[in-house]
Short mmCIF file of all heavy atoms in Angstrom, two decimals:
data_model
loop_
_atom_site.label_atom_id
_atom_site.label_comp_id
_atom_site.label_asym_id
_atom_site.label_seq_id
_atom_site.Cartn_x
_atom_site.Cartn_y
_atom_site.Cartn_z
N LEU O 18 -70.61 84.86 -28.14
CA LEU O 18 -71.71 83.88 -28.12
C LEU O 18 -73.07 84.57 -28.23
O LEU O 18 -74.03 83.97 -28.72
CB LEU O 18 -71.67 83.05 -26.84
CG LEU O 18 -70.54 82.04 -26.72
CD1 LEU O 18 -70.63 81.30 -25.39
CD2 LEU O 18 -70.56 81.04 -27.87
N LEU O 19 -73.13 85.82 -27.78
CA LEU O 19 -74.38 86.58 -27.88
C LEU O 19 -74.56 87.25 -29.24
O LEU O 19 -75.54 87.94 -29.48
CB LEU O 19 -74.43 87.64 -26.78
CG LEU O 19 -74.59 87.06 -25.37
CD1 LEU O 19 -74.34 88.13 -24.33
CD2 LEU O 19 -75.98 86.46 -25.21
N GLY O 20 -73.58 87.04 -30.14
CA GLY O 20 -73.72 87.54 -31.51
C GLY O 20 -72.91 88.79 -31.82
O GLY O 20 -72.96 89.28 -32.95
N PHE O 21 -72.18 89.32 -30.87
CA PHE O 21 -71.37 90.50 -31.13
C PHE O 21 -70.10 90.11 -31.86
O PHE O 21 -69.54 89.04 -31.63
CB PHE O 21 -71.00 91.21 -29.81
CG PHE O 21 -72.17 91.85 -29.13
CD1 PHE O 21 -72.86 91.17 -28.14
CD2 PHE O 21 -72.57 93.13 -29.47
CE1 PHE O 21 -73.93 91.75 -27.50
CE2 PHE O 21 -73.64 93.73 -28.82
CZ PHE O 21 -74.33 93.04 -27.84
N THR O 22 -69.64 90.98 -32.75
CA THR O 22 -68.39 90.77 -33.47
C THR O 22 -67.62 92.09 -33.49
O THR O 22 -68.13 93.12 -33.05
CB THR O 22 -68.62 90.30 -34.92
OG1 THR O 22 -69.31 91.32 -35.63
CG2 THR O 22 -69.40 89.00 -34.97
N HIS O 23 -66.41 92.05 -34.06
CA HIS O 23 -65.62 93.27 -34.17
C HIS O 23 -64.85 93.32 -35.49
O HIS O 23 -63.70 93.72 -35.55
CB HIS O 23 -64.68 93.44 -32.97
CG HIS O 23 -63.94 92.20 -32.57
ND1 HIS O 23 -62.85 91.73 -33.25
CD2 HIS O 23 -64.15 91.34 -31.55
CE1 HIS O 23 -62.40 90.63 -32.66
NE2 HIS O 23 -63.18 90.37 -31.62
N SER O 24 -65.54 92.91 -36.57
CA SER O 24 -64.92 92.91 -37.89
C SER O 24 -64.84 94.31 -38.49
O SER O 24 -63.92 94.61 -39.25
CB SER O 24 -65.70 92.00 -38.84
OG SER O 24 -65.70 90.69 -38.35
N THR O 25 -65.82 95.14 -38.18
CA THR O 25 -65.82 96.51 -38.66
C THR O 25 -65.84 97.44 -37.46
O THR O 25 -66.13 97.03 -36.33
CB THR O 25 -67.06 96.81 -39.53
OG1 THR O 25 -68.23 96.77 -38.68
CG2 THR O 25 -67.20 95.82 -40.67
N GLU O 26 -65.56 98.71 -37.70
CA GLU O 26 -65.56 99.66 -36.59
C GLU O 26 -66.94 99.79 -35.95
O GLU O 26 -67.06 99.87 -34.72
CB GLU O 26 -65.06 101.03 -37.05
CG GLU O 26 -64.86 101.98 -35.89
CD GLU O 26 -64.10 103.24 -36.26
OE1 GLU O 26 -63.67 103.39 -37.42
OE2 GLU O 26 -63.94 104.09 -35.36
N ALA O 27 -68.00 99.76 -36.76
CA ALA O 27 -69.36 99.85 -36.22
C ALA O 27 -69.69 98.64 -35.35
O ALA O 27 -70.26 98.78 -34.26
CB ALA O 27 -70.37 99.99 -37.36
N GLU O 28 -69.35 97.44 -35.83
CA GLU O 28 -69.58 96.23 -35.03
C GLU O 28 -68.75 96.25 -33.75
O GLU O 28 -69.22 95.90 -32.68
CB GLU O 28 -69.22 94.98 -35.85
CG GLU O 28 -70.16 94.70 -36.99
CD GLU O 28 -69.67 93.56 -37.87
OE1 GLU O 28 -68.47 93.17 -37.76
OE2 GLU O 28 -70.47 93.06 -38.67
N TRP O 29 -67.49 96.68 -33.90
CA TRP O 29 -66.61 96.76 -32.73
C TRP O 29 -67.19 97.70 -31.67
O TRP O 29 -67.17 97.38 -30.50
CB TRP O 29 -65.22 97.24 -33.14
CG TRP O 29 -64.40 97.67 -31.97
CD1 TRP O 29 -63.71 96.87 -31.12
CD2 TRP O 29 -64.22 99.00 -31.49
NE1 TRP O 29 -63.10 97.62 -30.14
CE2 TRP O 29 -63.40 98.94 -30.35
CE3 TRP O 29 -64.67 100.25 -31.93
CZ2 TRP O 29 -63.01 100.07 -29.64
CZ3 TRP O 29 -64.29 101.38 -31.22
CH2 TRP O 29 -63.48 101.27 -30.08
N LEU O 30 -67.71 98.83 -32.13
CA LEU O 30 -68.25 99.81 -31.18
C LEU O 30 -69.40 99.21 -30.37
O LEU O 30 -69.46 99.38 -29.14
CB LEU O 30 -68.70 101.08 -31.90
CG LEU O 30 -69.17 102.22 -31.01
CD1 LEU O 30 -68.07 102.63 -30.03
CD2 LEU O 30 -69.60 103.39 -31.85
N GLN O 31 -70.29 98.48 -31.03
CA GLN O 31 -71.39 97.84 -30.31
C GLN O 31 -70.87 96.82 -29.31
O GLN O 31 -71.31 96.77 -28.16
CB GLN O 31 -72.34 97.15 -31.29
CG GLN O 31 -73.19 98.10 -32.08
CD GLN O 31 -74.13 97.35 -33.00
OE1 GLN O 31 -73.80 96.29 -33.54
NE2 GLN O 31 -75.32 97.89 -33.17
N MET O 32 -69.91 95.99 -29.75
CA MET O 32 -69.37 94.96 -28.85
C MET O 32 -68.59 95.61 -27.72
O MET O 32 -68.71 95.21 -26.56
CB MET O 32 -68.48 94.00 -29.62
CG MET O 32 -67.92 92.88 -28.75
SD MET O 32 -67.20 91.60 -29.78
CE MET O 32 -66.57 90.50 -28.52
N PHE O 33 -67.79 96.63 -28.05
CA PHE O 33 -67.01 97.32 -27.04
C PHE O 33 -67.90 97.92 -25.95
O PHE O 33 -67.63 97.79 -24.76
CB PHE O 33 -66.17 98.42 -27.70
CG PHE O 33 -65.35 99.23 -26.72
CD1 PHE O 33 -64.14 98.75 -26.27
CD2 PHE O 33 -65.81 100.45 -26.26
CE1 PHE O 33 -63.38 99.48 -25.37
CE2 PHE O 33 -65.06 101.19 -25.36
CZ PHE O 33 -63.84 100.71 -24.91
N GLN O 34 -69.01 98.54 -26.38
CA GLN O 34 -69.92 99.15 -25.42
C GLN O 34 -70.55 98.11 -24.50
O GLN O 34 -70.69 98.32 -23.30
CB GLN O 34 -71.00 99.96 -26.14
CG GLN O 34 -70.45 101.23 -26.75
CD GLN O 34 -71.43 101.94 -27.66
OE1 GLN O 34 -72.42 101.36 -28.14
NE2 GLN O 34 -71.17 103.21 -27.92
N LYS O 35 -70.95 96.95 -25.04
CA LYS O 35 -71.52 95.88 -24.22
C LYS O 35 -70.47 95.33 -23.26
O LYS O 35 -70.71 95.18 -22.07
CB LYS O 35 -72.08 94.76 -25.11
CG LYS O 35 -72.58 93.55 -24.35
CD LYS O 35 -73.62 93.87 -23.30
CE LYS O 35 -74.95 94.15 -23.92
NZ LYS O 35 -75.99 94.44 -22.91
N GLU O 36 -69.29 95.04 -23.79
CA GLU O 36 -68.21 94.51 -22.96
C GLU O 36 -67.86 95.49 -21.84
O GLU O 36 -67.71 95.11 -20.68
CB GLU O 36 -66.96 94.31 -23.82
CG GLU O 36 -66.43 92.91 -23.84
CD GLU O 36 -65.21 92.78 -24.72
OE1 GLU O 36 -65.29 93.07 -25.93
OE2 GLU O 36 -64.17 92.36 -24.19
N LYS O 37 -67.75 96.77 -22.19
CA LYS O 37 -67.38 97.80 -21.21
C LYS O 37 -68.44 97.92 -20.13
O LYS O 37 -68.13 98.02 -18.94
CB LYS O 37 -67.15 99.14 -21.89
CG LYS O 37 -66.66 100.22 -20.93
CD LYS O 37 -65.99 101.33 -21.67
CE LYS O 37 -65.53 102.46 -20.80
NZ LYS O 37 -65.34 102.23 -19.40
N ALA O 38 -69.71 97.90 -20.52
CA ALA O 38 -70.80 98.02 -19.53
C ALA O 38 -70.75 96.85 -18.54
O ALA O 38 -70.88 97.05 -17.33
CB ALA O 38 -72.15 98.06 -20.24
N VAL O 39 -70.56 95.65 -19.05
CA VAL O 39 -70.51 94.47 -18.18
C VAL O 39 -69.28 94.53 -17.28
O VAL O 39 -69.37 94.31 -16.07
CB VAL O 39 -70.52 93.18 -19.02
CG1 VAL O 39 -70.23 91.96 -18.15
CG2 VAL O 39 -71.85 93.02 -19.73
N LEU O 40 -68.12 94.86 -17.86
CA LEU O 40 -66.89 94.90 -17.07
C LEU O 40 -66.89 96.05 -16.07
O LEU O 40 -66.34 95.92 -14.97
CB LEU O 40 -65.68 94.97 -17.99
CG LEU O 40 -65.43 93.70 -18.81
CD1 LEU O 40 -64.31 93.94 -19.82
CD2 LEU O 40 -65.12 92.51 -17.93
N ASP O 41 -67.51 97.18 -16.43
CA ASP O 41 -67.61 98.30 -15.48
C ASP O 41 -68.44 97.89 -14.26
O ASP O 41 -68.08 98.19 -13.12
CB ASP O 41 -68.24 99.53 -16.14
CG ASP O 41 -67.28 100.28 -17.04
OD1 ASP O 41 -66.07 99.96 -17.05
OD2 ASP O 41 -67.75 101.19 -17.77
N GLU O 42 -69.54 97.20 -14.51
CA GLU O 42 -70.39 96.75 -13.40
C GLU O 42 -69.66 95.70 -12.57
O GLU O 42 -69.70 95.73 -11.33
CB GLU O 42 -71.71 96.20 -13.93
CG GLU O 42 -72.64 95.69 -12.84
CD GLU O 42 -73.10 96.76 -11.85
OE1 GLU O 42 -73.03 97.95 -12.16
OE2 GLU O 42 -73.53 96.37 -10.74
N LEU O 43 -68.99 94.80 -13.23
CA LEU O 43 -68.21 93.78 -12.52
C LEU O 43 -67.10 94.44 -11.70
O LEU O 43 -66.88 94.08 -10.54
CB LEU O 43 -67.63 92.77 -13.50
CG LEU O 43 -66.83 91.62 -12.92
CD1 LEU O 43 -67.67 90.81 -11.95
CD2 LEU O 43 -66.30 90.74 -14.02
N SER O 44 -66.43 95.41 -12.27
CA SER O 44 -65.38 96.14 -11.55
C SER O 44 -65.95 96.85 -10.33
O SER O 44 -65.34 96.84 -9.26
CB SER O 44 -64.71 97.16 -12.48
OG SER O 44 -64.02 96.53 -13.52
N ARG O 45 -67.11 97.46 -10.49
CA ARG O 45 -67.75 98.15 -9.38
C ARG O 45 -68.06 97.17 -8.25
O ARG O 45 -67.83 97.47 -7.08
CB ARG O 45 -69.04 98.83 -9.85
CG ARG O 45 -69.70 99.70 -8.81
CD ARG O 45 -71.04 100.25 -9.28
NE ARG O 45 -72.07 99.23 -9.41
CZ ARG O 45 -72.70 98.66 -8.37
NH1 ARG O 45 -72.42 99.00 -7.15
NH2 ARG O 45 -73.63 97.75 -8.58
N ARG O 46 -68.53 96.00 -8.61
CA ARG O 46 -68.92 95.01 -7.59
C ARG O 46 -67.73 94.31 -6.93
O ARG O 46 -67.85 93.82 -5.82
CB ARG O 46 -69.83 93.95 -8.20
CG ARG O 46 -71.18 94.48 -8.60
CD ARG O 46 -72.02 93.38 -9.18
NE ARG O 46 -73.29 93.87 -9.66
CZ ARG O 46 -74.37 93.12 -9.74
NH1 ARG O 46 -74.34 91.85 -9.38
NH2 ARG O 46 -75.48 93.64 -10.21
N THR O 47 -66.60 94.24 -7.64
CA THR O 47 -65.46 93.49 -7.12
C THR O 47 -64.28 94.36 -6.76
O THR O 47 -63.27 93.85 -6.25
CB THR O 47 -65.00 92.42 -8.14
OG1 THR O 47 -64.59 93.08 -9.35
CG2 THR O 47 -66.10 91.41 -8.43
N GLY O 48 -64.35 95.65 -7.04
CA GLY O 48 -63.23 96.54 -6.71
C GLY O 48 -62.04 96.40 -7.63
O GLY O 48 -60.92 96.71 -7.25
N THR O 49 -62.28 95.95 -8.86
CA THR O 49 -61.20 95.80 -9.83
C THR O 49 -61.34 96.88 -10.90
O THR O 49 -62.26 97.70 -10.85
CB THR O 49 -61.24 94.41 -10.49
OG1 THR O 49 -62.53 94.22 -11.07
CG2 THR O 49 -60.95 93.31 -9.49
N ARG O 50 -60.42 96.89 -11.85
CA ARG O 50 -60.48 97.84 -12.97
C ARG O 50 -60.32 97.06 -14.27
O ARG O 50 -59.26 97.07 -14.87
CB ARG O 50 -59.40 98.90 -12.84
CG ARG O 50 -59.61 99.82 -11.65
CD ARG O 50 -58.57 100.90 -11.64
NE ARG O 50 -58.47 101.49 -12.97
CZ ARG O 50 -58.67 102.77 -13.24
NH1 ARG O 50 -58.95 103.59 -12.28
NH2 ARG O 50 -58.55 103.23 -14.46
N LEU O 51 -61.37 96.37 -14.67
CA LEU O 51 -61.32 95.53 -15.86
C LEU O 51 -61.63 96.35 -17.11
O LEU O 51 -62.54 97.16 -17.11
CB LEU O 51 -62.33 94.39 -15.71
CG LEU O 51 -62.15 93.52 -14.46
CD1 LEU O 51 -63.29 92.52 -14.34
CD2 LEU O 51 -60.81 92.83 -14.46
N GLN O 52 -60.86 96.12 -18.16
CA GLN O 52 -61.03 96.82 -19.43
C GLN O 52 -61.31 95.82 -20.54
O GLN O 52 -60.77 94.71 -20.53
CB GLN O 52 -59.76 97.61 -19.77
CG GLN O 52 -59.47 98.74 -18.83
CD GLN O 52 -60.52 99.83 -18.92
OE1 GLN O 52 -60.93 100.21 -20.01
NE2 GLN O 52 -61.00 100.30 -17.79
N PRO O 53 -62.16 96.20 -21.52
CA PRO O 53 -62.46 95.29 -22.62
C PRO O 53 -61.20 94.84 -23.37
O PRO O 53 -60.24 95.60 -23.50
CB PRO O 53 -63.36 96.12 -23.54
CG PRO O 53 -63.99 97.11 -22.62
CD PRO O 53 -62.93 97.44 -21.61
N LEU O 54 -61.26 93.63 -23.84
CA LEU O 54 -60.13 93.01 -24.53
C LEU O 54 -59.74 93.79 -25.79
O LEU O 54 -58.57 93.92 -26.11
CB LEU O 54 -60.50 91.57 -24.89
CG LEU O 54 -59.40 90.63 -25.32
CD1 LEU O 54 -58.37 90.47 -24.22
CD2 LEU O 54 -59.98 89.29 -25.68
N THR O 55 -60.71 94.32 -26.51
CA THR O 55 -60.45 94.98 -27.80
C THR O 55 -60.42 96.50 -27.67
O THR O 55 -60.66 97.20 -28.64
CB THR O 55 -61.51 94.58 -28.84
OG1 THR O 55 -62.80 95.01 -28.36
CG2 THR O 55 -61.51 93.11 -29.11
N ARG O 56 -60.10 97.02 -26.50
CA ARG O 56 -60.19 98.47 -26.27
C ARG O 56 -59.38 99.30 -27.25
O ARG O 56 -59.73 100.42 -27.54
CB ARG O 56 -59.82 98.80 -24.83
CG ARG O 56 -58.39 98.55 -24.48
CD ARG O 56 -58.13 98.81 -23.00
NE ARG O 56 -56.83 98.31 -22.59
CZ ARG O 56 -56.61 97.08 -22.16
NH1 ARG O 56 -57.59 96.22 -22.07
NH2 ARG O 56 -55.40 96.70 -21.80
N ASP O 57 -58.29 98.76 -27.79
CA ASP O 57 -57.44 99.54 -28.69
C ASP O 57 -57.62 99.16 -30.15
O ASP O 57 -56.89 99.67 -31.02
CB ASP O 57 -55.97 99.35 -28.30
CG ASP O 57 -55.69 99.89 -26.90
OD1 ASP O 57 -56.28 100.91 -26.53
OD2 ASP O 57 -54.91 99.24 -26.18
N LEU O 58 -58.56 98.30 -30.48
CA LEU O 58 -58.70 97.78 -31.83
C LEU O 58 -58.98 98.88 -32.86
O LEU O 58 -58.36 98.94 -33.90
CB LEU O 58 -59.79 96.71 -31.89
CG LEU O 58 -59.93 95.96 -33.20
CD1 LEU O 58 -58.65 95.21 -33.53
CD2 LEU O 58 -61.10 94.98 -33.13
N PHE O 59 -59.91 99.77 -32.56
CA PHE O 59 -60.24 100.86 -33.47
C PHE O 59 -60.05 102.21 -32.79
O PHE O 59 -60.84 103.12 -32.98
CB PHE O 59 -61.70 100.74 -33.96
CG PHE O 59 -61.89 99.68 -35.02
CD1 PHE O 59 -62.36 98.43 -34.66
CD2 PHE O 59 -61.61 99.93 -36.34
CE1 PHE O 59 -62.55 97.44 -35.62
CE2 PHE O 59 -61.79 98.95 -37.30
CZ PHE O 59 -62.26 97.70 -36.95
N GLY O 60 -59.06 102.30 -31.92
CA GLY O 60 -58.79 103.58 -31.26
C GLY O 60 -59.63 103.82 -30.03
O GLY O 60 -59.89 104.96 -29.67
#
């Protein structure tokens, strides 16, 4: 919804980094270990 996509490796990397940053912070606050949905898409 914020405009990130993962059609190419470059787009995926930007989206992956945003997703990972948000999920890392959420994991830190909640004691979980959340990983981005597309973590294995481009290696």
Side-chain angles (χ1 to χ4, degrees):
L18 289 179
L19 291 168
F21 291 94
T22 63
H23 45 77
S24 300
T25 68
E26 188 168 358
E28 291 173 345
W29 165 80
L30 185 57
Q31 287 181 325
M32 182 167 177
F33 178 82
Q34 288 171 341
K35 175 55 76 179
E36 238 180 300
K37 184 160 178 21
V39 171
L40 292 173
D41 284 351
E42 179 63 20
L43 182 59
S44 294
R45 186 185 69 74
R46 292 181 184 206
T47 61
T49 56
R50 293 184 48 121
L51 304 174
Q52 294 294 316
L54 194 61
T55 61
R56 66 184 168 271
D57 297 323
L58 187 61
F59 284 98

